[in-house]
Amino acid sequence: MTEATARRNRPYAPRLSPEQRREQILDVVLEIISTEGVGGVSVDAVARRIGVTRPVVYSQFADANDMLRGSLTREEQLALAQIIDALPGQDDEDPATSFHHLFDAYLRGVAEAPHRWRAIFMIADSGTPTFHRHVARLRARIVRELEVALRKSCIAGRHPDSELLAHQLLAMMWESGRLMLVSPQDFTEERLLRSLDAMFTAVAAQRPLDF
């Protein structure tokens, strides 16, 4: 079969608007990061998966690094939204129940968007400074939001150092999500949620501490 015949026989990707094509490319980039790592992302790899020519990809992104930045920026924003939407509000009277909903929403979010969170966890463990900053920024924003939520709850009276407690809560949540993706049969959502609830209940039950 000649190259021209192969091109004619190749199934064409459907025509999309520029916005739809950009989102499609970012979806594929995320899938590649999740399954092959950052090093697997290239213009050729993305074009092959979508079934388009390289110029179609170049019409949206300058190069592989541009695609990676776009994908990580999008997923950072979506991951943050998943957590912020579930944070306890000012009118929540029972911190244990409020944070139970947060833990539950987070674990369900990881389960429903495994490519997103697997990529985030992989990049957090990588040594690539540019992309590592995306994860560091995400973690820092989550800590700030957790700290605000803790200050609004009665937990603040027992633990004056809400910033430190926010870091510790994020560490527990972060590792729970990672374990669920690494070994979902051993670390189920139900098991992880029970553990997070138990740890938070133990924290909430402690007497005031001197820092």
Side-chain angles (χ1 to χ4, degrees):
M1 181 184 295
T2 66
E3 183 178 350
T5 302
R7 285 198 301 268
R8 286 197 301 270
N9 292 339
R10 183 178 64 188
Y12 286 96
R15 289 187 177 276
L16 301 175
S17 68
E19 294 78 13
Q20 291 173 322
R21 182 67 74 193
R22 181 180 178 85
E23 290 301 306
Q24 182 190 41
I25 291 171
L26 292 178
D27 288 342
V28 169
V29 170
L30 179 63
E31 182 181 348
I32 293 174
I33 296 173
S34 174
T35 57
E36 302 177 23
V38 172
V41 177
S42 68
V43 172
D44 284 334
V46 171
R48 283 196 304 271
R49 289 207 183 197
I50 296 176
V52 298
T53 59
R54 288 162 53 92
V56 172
V57 178
Y58 279 123
S59 70
Q60 298 296 323
F61 296 95
D63 52 27
N65 283 335
D66 192 22
M67 290 190 293
L68 284 165
R69 284 191 296 270
S71 178
L72 294 176
T73 297
R74 185 186 70 167
E75 300 311 316
E76 173 190 341
Q77 294 169 349
L78 292 173
L80 185 61
Q82 283 183 315
I83 292 176
I84 288 181
D85 288 347
L87 281 168
Q90 191 164 3
D91 298 329
D92 294 340
E93 297 181 358
D94 181 7
T97 299
S98 300
F99 278 86
H100 166 84
H101 292 316
L102 169 63
F103 301 148
D104 185 38
Y106 165 70
L107 291 173
R108 282 189 287 106
V110 173
E112 292 168 2
H115 285 318
R116 171 181 307 148
W117 285 98
R118 188 175 290 109
I120 289 172
F121 295 141
M122 287 175 61
I123 290 168
D125 294 335
S126 75
T128 309
T130 300
F131 305 127
H132 194 275
R133 282 195 291 270
H134 281 267
V135 179
R137 183 170 58 196
L138 171 63
R139 289 178 62 102
R141 177 66 188 280
I142 295 172
V143 166
R144 288 198 300 271
E145 297 294 340
L146 283 172
E147 183 181 358
V148 170
L150 287 165
R151 289 185 184 280
K152 292 177 181 177
S153 75
C154 64
I155 300 296
R158 298 180 181 274
H159 295 270
D161 197 338
S162 297
E163 180 187 12
L164 177 58
L165 184 55
H167 278 283
Q168 293 169 333
L169 284 176
L170 175 59
M172 291 189 298
M173 291 171 59
W174 195 268
E175 181 63 8
S176 295
R178 192 190 67 80
L179 286 171
M180 187 168 63
L181 291 182
V182 169
S183 185
Q185 293 183 339
D186 294 328
F187 300 100
T188 64
E189 289 183 57
E190 294 78 11
R191 180 184 179 190
L192 292 165
L193 183 57
R194 284 197 304 270
S195 179
L196 287 169
D197 283 343
M199 285 188 284
F200 187 84
T201 299
V203 169
Q206 289 181 11
R207 294 192 301 273
L209 301 176
D210 294 326
F211 285 84

